[in-house]
Amino acid sequence: MAGTGARWMPLALCLAVTVSPGRTGEQLHVCKESEYHYEYTACDSSGSRWRVAVPHTPGLCTGLPDPVRGTECSFSCKAGEFLEMQTQTCRPCAAGTYSLGTGVRFDEWDEVPHGFANVATNLEVDDGFGDAAENCTASTWVPLGDYVASNTDECTATLMYAVSLKQSGTVTFEYIYPDSSIVFEFFVQNDQCQPTTEESRWMRTTEKGWEFHSVELSRGNNVLYWRTTAFSVWSKVPKPVLVRNIGITGVAFTSECFPCKPGTFAPAAGSSACQPCPADTFSGKGATACQPCDPDTYAEPGAGSCKPRPPCTDKDFFYTHTACDAGGETQLMYKWAEPKICSEELPQAARLPPSGIKTRCPPCNPGFAKGNGSTCQPCPYGSYSNGSACLSCPEGTEPVLGLEYKWWNVLPPNMETTVLSGINFEYKGIAGWEVAGDYIYTAAGASDSDFMILTLVVPGFSPPSPVLEDTESREVARITFVFETLCSVGCELYFMVGVNSRTNTPVETWTGSTGKQSYTYLVEKNATMSFTWAFQRTPYHEAGRRFTSDVAKLYSINVTNVQGGVASFCRRCAPQPTGSCAPCSPGSAVDLSSGSCQPCPPGTYLQSQPSDGTPTCHPCGPGTRSNQLRSLCYNNCSLALALPGRMLHFEFPSLGMGAGVGTGPSFTPKGLRYSHHFRLSLCGHQGRKMASCADNVTAGRGGPARVVISYVCQAILVPPDITGARAAVSSQPVSLGDHLLGVTTSSVLDSIVSPPELFPPGHPDLPDIIFFFRSNDMTQPCSGGRATTIRLRCDPLLLGTGTLAVPSKCPEGTCDGCTFHFLWVTAEGCPRCSSSHHRPIVGACIGGVQKTTYVWREPRLCHGGDALPPQVIQACRSVDFWLKVGISTGTCVAVLLAALAAYFWKKTQKLEYKYSKLVMDAAARESEATSPDSCAIMEGEDAEDELLFATEMSLFGKLKALTAKRMPDGFDSVPLKTSSSSTDREL
């Protein structure tokens, strides 16, 4: 407690000093709750503080409540709540009030709010010579009710606000910065009076009303600076910078709620902001609801009071023309100017004139013609029109594309009109220009100080010849318009040009009345251009409409070389190497000898607008053929590929009916996930292109959505960062291949290389089929356009579209940004199955039945085509049967051999007998015996003793000898030998 007492000693001294000397001897009464309020002491090093009671007037009372420990220094309440100091708890704000919880907001600028410093200085230094430096004391920011306005002279005006944040927070505000003649900067300084690093210190000029700006603030002391310095040009006073709705978050707490300013209301407790009152209602300060105005009064949205309605005059209405009806007639119509604040019931009030009678509609603008109905439709490319009918350009000519508007029955679709308030610079959503037949003019606005805006958007240009950077004239196109201004005071007409949706830059200004005249502006950049006409009757705001008769009129607008435009005439064109003129129809080229258009021969093609400008017939690439018009080459998803020793036929039916979708890599810059999505289409029938990429970001903003249709296209998909979003946000659709060059197994075609090492190797017996595409979309790094290669690889297991892959070392599909590579693996990329892709397996003969089964050769490299033949079943003979047949045959052969042996043995015996007989006869003749011949062997004679054999021979040897000795006459030659003589005789 000693420490506590020491801590309260400075506080006791402080309270003692606050007692007035005149009341020292008087008896002070005990303070009531209405005579004091609570405050927090400064936070100590430990982050704690004390709540103390402080009297509203020092020295009036005594007996204040004792100090109590307060909430932590980082404590704060939510938006719509405040810290009730009595109980030190958060309570909701009452109806009619609001709070930011941890911040404050400054939205009332009847005077400069407490805490702001308004300083003006002069940057010029008085050197003692010439005129003294200008006195800038009065050149400060001026509060004007809903906003604060900067100075418009050459002094430097600074609006400062110091705030101490207990936690990190933000500062937000809305601003109007219409004139670049003023330098406008916003920056923040910290405790050491050093500016924080902020890239957006120098503010950008605004184009469409109030812009929102936010800057992060660090914990501690922060000083906010809004600084402007004007520079007068041609003695013209620039338009001031306007700032409103300054909000700061990060303060420790809010001990009270702020009442809603007049013109706003908070219907329920716990509001973090007040709502503006609708039109013809009003409210006071701290209102919970808006009160309706009386019938004879009116109020603008967000008004704090009602104003009496003035009587209507002829300046409160305008005239216009209705669209053509089915009969081709239009009607003159009168309308009250919006918003209608005048009263027709007052005496001497003007009445709305009756609508005029119907008249014939004006003709269509050049390049347009009436369609099925009464509306004018643009003529298709290759035709022209003077406004009555579309006529085809003669052969050898081309349409001159552009836009020409000289009849104003309806506002063209590429033009829009609106009104920009000259008071708070907000768009009112009403038409600022109205059509009037042969011209378009400025209608009556809500105020004479409003800007009547008319904008024409051109998507791009197609000059007949390219514009070179080194030439003196870089004209891409030109816009010419005829106009007139009728003014009684200092009205102004501005003509502004914007490039690629950027801030419009004033090009020319006309002040006061000007006669009917023509103005031409040269376009030197091929980009999306916006041309804006802005008309202001007077820069000074006054109630009511006094100068609605001051008008600006546009009679005609003509823009040349418009991309996707229409033509009012055709010109004869001569092909040039650098031009884009194609004199003949697609598929035909000029015969230099005859000068007539001749169709390209089969197998060649000619595009309608060749990229090189030379209309010659080009041969189709491998695997492709020309269509009937011979304007392009296509592949109908079938290819006969000749490989050594065989012919393979490929067909891709499923790929021909649809497009494959692949998703590229994803990366996360700044916490937002992006992904590249590719759509591929390999097959097309007669040149049909199946893949498309769309841009739904532009469409979501109200502009035309860009759609890319080609064989290969890419889109960057950005997932929505809003919870519950149904679809991803896509942007930047790009064509990667709009025409097919060829289909081959070679890795190079038309200087496009598909390195095989980018992907894992495939099967060595079946090379990849590579589709080569090229796109004519040229960029600065890809001057020759983009190219795409798609490797189609066979995998019978991946049915349907299969899988899509990009190179592993080039995760975005491209290694150089110009050539994209894909690997498409699918069963549809395999050749058609035939008899060479399967083989038979013959089974064993079981029970007299044998089965033959057909199976695919492994690995299987085919799909579709011929199916496997069915199993073949046939009858067969078993082993037992053939064994029986063998035994029977062997037995028969053995019997036959035995019979033959017996036969030849018997025959040998007979031959031996004859031989013996011959020997005996020969011996008898040799001895000249007279004994009678006898053919028999006598009794007692031994035949064997008389037989003489020259040699001993076997049975078969004798048979062979007899056969060899047989004479030509059929007798055998036998050597004979007697006992008395060794002479051989031959019988």
Side-chain angles (χ1 to χ4, degrees), residues 919-931 978-981 985:
V919 171
M920 292 177 66
D921 291 343
R925 284 193 296 271
E926 186 175 341
S927 62
E928 295 180 357
T930 60
S931 61
T978 63
S979 60
S980 60
S981 177
R985 295 184 181 181

PDB file of all heavy atoms in Angstrom, residues 919-931 978-981 985:
ATOM      1  N   VAL A 919      25.679-128.302-112.299  1.00  0.00           N
ATOM      2  CA  VAL A 919      27.070-128.736-112.044  1.00  0.00           C
ATOM      3  C   VAL A 919      27.259-130.186-112.481  1.00  0.00           C
ATOM      4  O   VAL A 919      28.286-130.569-113.087  1.00  0.00           O
ATOM      5  CB  VAL A 919      27.422-128.538-110.557  1.00  0.00           C
ATOM      6  CG1 VAL A 919      28.770-129.199-110.241  1.00  0.00           C
ATOM      7  CG2 VAL A 919      27.439-127.042-110.221  1.00  0.00           C
ATOM      8  N   MET A 920      26.338-131.009-112.198  1.00  0.00           N
ATOM      9  CA  MET A 920      26.441-132.416-112.557  1.00  0.00           C
ATOM     10  C   MET A 920      26.409-132.579-114.058  1.00  0.00           C
ATOM     11  O   MET A 920      27.175-133.386-114.628  1.00  0.00           O
ATOM     12  CB  MET A 920      25.294-133.213-111.912  1.00  0.00           C
ATOM     13  CG  MET A 920      25.393-133.296-110.375  1.00  0.00           C
ATOM     14  SD  MET A 920      23.976-134.152-109.670  1.00  0.00           S
ATOM     15  CE  MET A 920      24.259-135.786-110.354  1.00  0.00           C
ATOM     16  N   ASP A 921      25.587-131.856-114.744  1.00  0.00           N
ATOM     17  CA  ASP A 921      25.542-131.949-116.203  1.00  0.00           C
ATOM     18  C   ASP A 921      26.847-131.502-116.804  1.00  0.00           C
ATOM     19  O   ASP A 921      27.353-132.096-117.790  1.00  0.00           O
ATOM     20  CB  ASP A 921      24.380-131.119-116.745  1.00  0.00           C
ATOM     21  CG  ASP A 921      23.038-131.725-116.396  1.00  0.00           C
ATOM     22  OD1 ASP A 921      22.986-132.920-116.036  1.00  0.00           O
ATOM     23  OD2 ASP A 921      22.005-130.974-116.444  1.00  0.00           O
ATOM     24  N   ALA A 922      27.390-130.511-116.287  1.00  0.00           N
ATOM     25  CA  ALA A 922      28.649-129.998-116.841  1.00  0.00           C
ATOM     26  C   ALA A 922      29.757-131.021-116.632  1.00  0.00           C
ATOM     27  O   ALA A 922      30.621-131.222-117.507  1.00  0.00           O
ATOM     28  CB  ALA A 922      29.006-128.668-116.162  1.00  0.00           C
ATOM     29  N   ALA A 923      29.798-131.702-115.550  1.00  0.00           N
ATOM     30  CA  ALA A 923      30.839-132.683-115.297  1.00  0.00           C
ATOM     31  C   ALA A 923      30.692-133.879-116.231  1.00  0.00           C
ATOM     32  O   ALA A 923      31.682-134.452-116.720  1.00  0.00           O
ATOM     33  CB  ALA A 923      30.771-133.163-113.824  1.00  0.00           C
ATOM     34  N   ALA A 924      29.500-134.280-116.522  1.00  0.00           N
ATOM     35  CA  ALA A 924      29.281-135.400-117.405  1.00  0.00           C
ATOM     36  C   ALA A 924      29.739-135.082-118.809  1.00  0.00           C
ATOM     37  O   ALA A 924      30.351-135.936-119.490  1.00  0.00           O
ATOM     38  CB  ALA A 924      27.796-135.827-117.395  1.00  0.00           C
ATOM     39  N   ARG A 925      29.485-133.914-119.303  1.00  0.00           N
ATOM     40  CA  ARG A 925      29.899-133.559-120.654  1.00  0.00           C
ATOM     41  C   ARG A 925      31.394-133.449-120.724  1.00  0.00           C
ATOM     42  O   ARG A 925      32.019-133.736-121.780  1.00  0.00           O
ATOM     43  CB  ARG A 925      29.259-132.214-121.058  1.00  0.00           C
ATOM     44  CG  ARG A 925      27.773-132.354-121.413  1.00  0.00           C
ATOM     45  CD  ARG A 925      27.293-131.084-122.093  1.00  0.00           C
ATOM     46  NE  ARG A 925      27.348-129.947-121.233  1.00  0.00           N
ATOM     47  CZ  ARG A 925      26.383-129.568-120.444  1.00  0.00           C
ATOM     48  NH1 ARG A 925      25.252-130.261-120.431  1.00  0.00           N
ATOM     49  NH2 ARG A 925      26.537-128.553-119.683  1.00  0.00           N
ATOM     50  N   GLU A 926      31.992-133.102-119.744  1.00  0.00           N
ATOM     51  CA  GLU A 926      33.440-132.926-119.796  1.00  0.00           C
ATOM     52  C   GLU A 926      34.125-134.277-119.871  1.00  0.00           C
ATOM     53  O   GLU A 926      35.191-134.442-120.507  1.00  0.00           O
ATOM     54  CB  GLU A 926      33.895-132.137-118.517  1.00  0.00           C
ATOM     55  CG  GLU A 926      35.352-131.792-118.575  1.00  0.00           C
ATOM     56  CD  GLU A 926      35.738-130.927-117.384  1.00  0.00           C
ATOM     57  OE1 GLU A 926      34.816-130.300-116.731  1.00  0.00           O
ATOM     58  OE2 GLU A 926      36.910-130.816-117.073  1.00  0.00           O
ATOM     59  N   SER A 927      33.609-135.301-119.266  1.00  0.00           N
ATOM     60  CA  SER A 927      34.244-136.628-119.326  1.00  0.00           C
ATOM     61  C   SER A 927      33.757-137.464-120.492  1.00  0.00           C
ATOM     62  O   SER A 927      34.156-138.637-120.661  1.00  0.00           O
ATOM     63  CB  SER A 927      33.970-137.371-117.996  1.00  0.00           C
ATOM     64  OG  SER A 927      32.564-137.560-117.849  1.00  0.00           O
ATOM     65  N   GLU A 928      32.953-136.870-121.328  1.00  0.00           N
ATOM     66  CA  GLU A 928      32.441-137.533-122.519  1.00  0.00           C
ATOM     67  C   GLU A 928      31.877-138.903-122.174  1.00  0.00           C
ATOM     68  O   GLU A 928      32.062-139.944-122.857  1.00  0.00           O
ATOM     69  CB  GLU A 928      33.523-137.678-123.571  1.00  0.00           C
ATOM     70  CG  GLU A 928      34.002-136.342-124.101  1.00  0.00           C
ATOM     71  CD  GLU A 928      35.076-136.547-125.153  1.00  0.00           C
ATOM     72  OE1 GLU A 928      35.478-137.709-125.410  1.00  0.00           O
ATOM     73  OE2 GLU A 928      35.487-135.530-125.721  1.00  0.00           O
ATOM     74  N   ALA A 929      31.258-139.026-121.130  1.00  0.00           N
ATOM     75  CA  ALA A 929      30.618-140.279-120.776  1.00  0.00           C
ATOM     76  C   ALA A 929      29.402-140.507-121.610  1.00  0.00           C
ATOM     77  O   ALA A 929      28.750-139.566-122.019  1.00  0.00           O
ATOM     78  CB  ALA A 929      30.260-140.260-119.278  1.00  0.00           C
ATOM     79  N   THR A 930      29.174-141.786-121.943  1.00  0.00           N
ATOM     80  CA  THR A 930      28.066-142.155-122.808  1.00  0.00           C
ATOM     81  C   THR A 930      26.865-142.591-122.021  1.00  0.00           C
ATOM     82  O   THR A 930      25.875-143.112-122.556  1.00  0.00           O
ATOM     83  CB  THR A 930      28.472-143.331-123.727  1.00  0.00           C
ATOM     84  OG1 THR A 930      28.830-144.452-122.933  1.00  0.00           O
ATOM     85  CG2 THR A 930      29.592-142.895-124.645  1.00  0.00           C
ATOM     86  N   SER A 931      27.058-142.443-120.789  1.00  0.00           N
ATOM     87  CA  SER A 931      25.928-142.821-119.957  1.00  0.00           C
ATOM     88  C   SER A 931      24.775-141.908-120.213  1.00  0.00           C
ATOM     89  O   SER A 931      24.944-140.723-120.511  1.00  0.00           O
ATOM     90  CB  SER A 931      26.325-142.763-118.472  1.00  0.00           C
ATOM     91  OG  SER A 931      26.701-141.454-118.147  1.00  0.00           O
ATOM     92  N   THR A 978      35.162-128.711-112.877  1.00  0.00           N
ATOM     93  CA  THR A 978      35.201-130.178-112.862  1.00  0.00           C
ATOM     94  C   THR A 978      36.404-130.660-112.082  1.00  0.00           C
ATOM     95  O   THR A 978      37.301-129.882-111.755  1.00  0.00           O
ATOM     96  CB  THR A 978      35.253-130.743-114.298  1.00  0.00           C
ATOM     97  OG1 THR A 978      36.469-130.303-114.898  1.00  0.00           O
ATOM     98  CG2 THR A 978      34.064-130.244-115.126  1.00  0.00           C
ATOM     99  N   SER A 979      36.379-131.981-111.959  1.00  0.00           N
ATOM    100  CA  SER A 979      37.493-132.573-111.213  1.00  0.00           C
ATOM    101  C   SER A 979      38.751-132.694-112.020  1.00  0.00           C
ATOM    102  O   SER A 979      39.848-132.792-111.472  1.00  0.00           O
ATOM    103  CB  SER A 979      37.080-133.963-110.655  1.00  0.00           C
ATOM    104  OG  SER A 979      36.733-134.805-111.743  1.00  0.00           O
ATOM    105  N   SER A 980      38.582-132.723-113.379  1.00  0.00           N
ATOM    106  CA  SER A 980      39.750-132.935-114.228  1.00  0.00           C
ATOM    107  C   SER A 980      40.319-131.675-114.800  1.00  0.00           C
ATOM    108  O   SER A 980      41.429-131.682-115.308  1.00  0.00           O
ATOM    109  CB  SER A 980      39.401-133.915-115.375  1.00  0.00           C
ATOM    110  OG  SER A 980      38.348-133.347-116.140  1.00  0.00           O
ATOM    111  N   SER A 981      39.587-130.665-114.785  1.00  0.00           N
ATOM    112  CA  SER A 981      40.087-129.421-115.435  1.00  0.00           C
ATOM    113  C   SER A 981      39.665-128.229-114.604  1.00  0.00           C
ATOM    114  O   SER A 981      38.586-128.189-114.027  1.00  0.00           O
ATOM    115  CB  SER A 981      39.542-129.313-116.860  1.00  0.00           C
ATOM    116  OG  SER A 981      39.964-128.103-117.414  1.00  0.00           O
ATOM    117  N   ARG A 985      33.984-122.721-117.380  1.00  0.00           N
ATOM    118  CA  ARG A 985      33.132-122.586-118.553  1.00  0.00           C
ATOM    119  C   ARG A 985      31.834-121.918-118.153  1.00  0.00           C
ATOM    120  O   ARG A 985      31.324-122.169-117.078  1.00  0.00           O
ATOM    121  CB  ARG A 985      32.862-123.978-119.162  1.00  0.00           C
ATOM    122  CG  ARG A 985      34.139-124.656-119.719  1.00  0.00           C
ATOM    123  CD  ARG A 985      33.789-125.968-120.381  1.00  0.00           C
ATOM    124  NE  ARG A 985      35.010-126.632-120.891  1.00  0.00           N
ATOM    125  CZ  ARG A 985      35.008-127.789-121.535  1.00  0.00           C
ATOM    126  NH1 ARG A 985      33.842-128.434-121.729  1.00  0.00           N
ATOM    127  NH2 ARG A 985      36.147-128.340-121.972  1.00  0.00           N
TER     128      ARG A 985
END
